[in-house]
Amino acid sequence: MPTEQETAQMIELGQAVIETEAAAVMALIPRLGAGFAQACHYLLHCRGRIVVIGMGKSGHIGNKLAATLASTGSPAFFVHPGEASHGDLGMITPDDVVLALSNSGETGELLVILPLLKRLGVPLIAMTGKAHSTLAKESEVHIDVSVDKEACPLGLAPTSSTTAALVMGDALAVALLQARGFTAKDFALSHPGGSLGRRLLLHVGDIMHSGEALPSVSQDASLHEALEVMSVKGLGMTAVVDQQGQLVGVYTDGDLRRTLNRPIDIHKMRVAEVMTKGCKQVPPEMLAAEALQMMEENKINGLLVVDGERRLVGAFNMHDLLRAGVM
């Protein structure tokens, strides 16, 4: 275990790193001007793909930036500059825009392919820490991501510089997202396997119980019959419908507890006498996330689903939402 002094030193060093990198990020704000807007213009009007390239740590940042762009409505992919000069340059077309990341602006693997990019007539956006570097000078647009110092005590490991590049990349991606009118639903369509995708793409009709699994009794049914249906179907409730199949009420576990406080004969009492009338109901096309919000606001554990003519078509509860990954 570290001593108290060692612990204090480690905490102090960690705080210093965060302060240094935070200062580097804040220094980017006044630099956002015409160059940034011009870069956004090129990227927004790209007819092909945004090709992000970078070497070493800049490459890792570039890979993340390409993924962020692609998931927010700007088709993009990452190309390793070393591989580009050995065949992968064929992945780049004249309709693309290249976004190159290099802190020094003199990365050899990038400079080697510059003449070929020029030959293709591909617009080049450079994100560097050196405004007078070769890469910056050869680009159509240069974005300054220079930092006063790295957070590494040796001043060698890319720390503040990679953070600045990452933040600037996020700024580009979000600016493009806004300009494209990209919505949460669009985001979900590119993330169907994630929790957000499930929340925004799943509808009530996708998770509800229907057909033989649907708990439902006639309004003339006895309370005993209703309880049997509730026990078999296992949703903690049963719908009560009229002869046309239209919903007239619901009987839930909560209603049962309230009913048991009264002297009743469950074989003789009709469920319609003790059901909840005017119960909450939703259409099958409602988003499951919206239905969840309704249930939370009304403190209920289940909902009935009806069509446009108030005919019962389904039912679901919190457990169904949980299994579907909506909550």
Side-chain angles (χ1 to χ4, degrees):
M1 291 293 292
T3 64
E4 288 187 11
Q5 184 179 0
E6 290 172 333
T7 298
Q9 288 175 339
M10 286 187 284
I11 292 173
E12 185 178 351
L13 180 58
Q15 291 173 337
V17 169
I18 293 173
E19 289 173 356
T20 301
E21 296 202 17
V25 170
M26 293 304 295
L28 296 176
I29 295 176
R31 299 182 208 156
L32 292 188
F36 180 84
Q38 190 178 2
C40 290
H41 177 82
Y42 273 114
L43 298 175
L44 186 61
H45 294 90
C46 174
R47 293 179 298 172
R49 297 285 195 272
I50 299 169
V51 183
V52 186
I53 58 177
M55 196 71 189
K57 302 299 186 295
S58 292
H60 294 303
I61 298 300
N63 224 323
K64 186 270 180 188
L65 175 53
T68 300
L69 287 166
S71 69
T72 53
S74 298
F77 63 93
F78 177 79
V79 172
H80 190 286
E83 299 295 334
S85 60
H86 291 277
D88 282 4
L89 197 64
M91 301 167 70
I92 305 175
T93 74
D95 289 333
D96 298 332
V97 173
V98 171
L99 175 58
L101 281 68
S102 169
N103 186 43
S104 68
E106 301 293 346
T107 304
E109 291 84 351
L110 290 177
L111 299 186
V112 166
I113 63 175
L114 273 182
L116 299 172
L117 294 177
K118 293 295 183 181
R119 197 176 195 178
L120 283 172
V122 178
L124 173 64
I125 300 170
M127 192 183 297
T128 82
K130 307 290 183 182
H132 301 294
S133 63
T134 303
L135 188 61
K137 290 177 180 178
E138 293 296 326
S139 64
E140 275 69 32
V141 182
H142 175 249
I143 298 177
D144 181 7
V145 288
S146 60
V147 298
D148 288 338
K149 62 178 180 178
E150 297 288 6
C152 166
L154 301 176
L156 300 174
T159 45
S160 299
S161 57
T162 49
T163 299
L166 178 65
V167 171
M168 187 63 77
D170 286 342
L172 284 171
V174 173
L176 293 174
L177 176 154
Q178 186 73 17
R180 293 184 191 281
F182 197 77
T183 65
K185 186 174 182 181
D186 295 323
F187 189 87
L189 289 171
S190 61
H191 296 74
S195 60
L196 178 62
R198 289 190 292 273
R199 287 182 55 217
L200 294 178
L201 296 179
L202 270 181
H203 293 82
V204 165
D206 299 321
I207 62 169
M208 70 183 189
H209 298 263
S210 59
E212 291 297 320
L214 179 58
S216 174
V217 296
S218 163
Q219 61 185 345
D220 296 321
S222 68
L223 181 55
H224 179 263
E225 292 171 317
L227 294 177
E228 283 189 326
V229 169
M230 289 172 64
S231 177
V232 171
K233 305 300 183 181
L235 290 184
M237 63 180 173
T238 181
V240 182
V241 298
D242 62 16
Q243 293 181 344
Q244 288 73 43
Q246 291 183 319
L247 183 66
V248 295
V250 66
Y251 193 75
T252 68
D253 287 338
D255 292 319
L256 174 60
R257 288 191 294 272
R258 287 184 286 274
T259 302
L260 292 177
N261 290 328
R262 302 163 52 185
I264 59 168
D265 185 334
I266 62 172
H267 296 280
K268 294 181 179 180
M269 176 170 281
R270 294 169 57 243
V271 67
E273 298 177 53
V274 287
M275 70 180 182
T276 297
K277 298 179 182 178
C279 58
K280 299 293 181 182
Q281 53 204 266
V282 296
E285 59 271 15
M286 174 182 276
L287 287 174
E290 291 181 293
L292 171 60
Q293 183 178 0
M294 178 186 293
M295 293 165 72
E296 290 175 337
E297 289 175 351
N298 291 278
K299 295 181 173 58
I300 54 179
N301 293 318
L303 280 172
L304 298 173
V305 188
V306 297
D307 62 16
E309 298 180 359
R310 295 191 70 253
R311 287 192 298 263
L312 181 71
V313 295
F316 64 97
N317 61 18
M318 284 288 190
H319 295 293
D320 298 312
L321 293 170
L322 183 61
R323 277 192 294 269
V326 180
M327 57 182 297

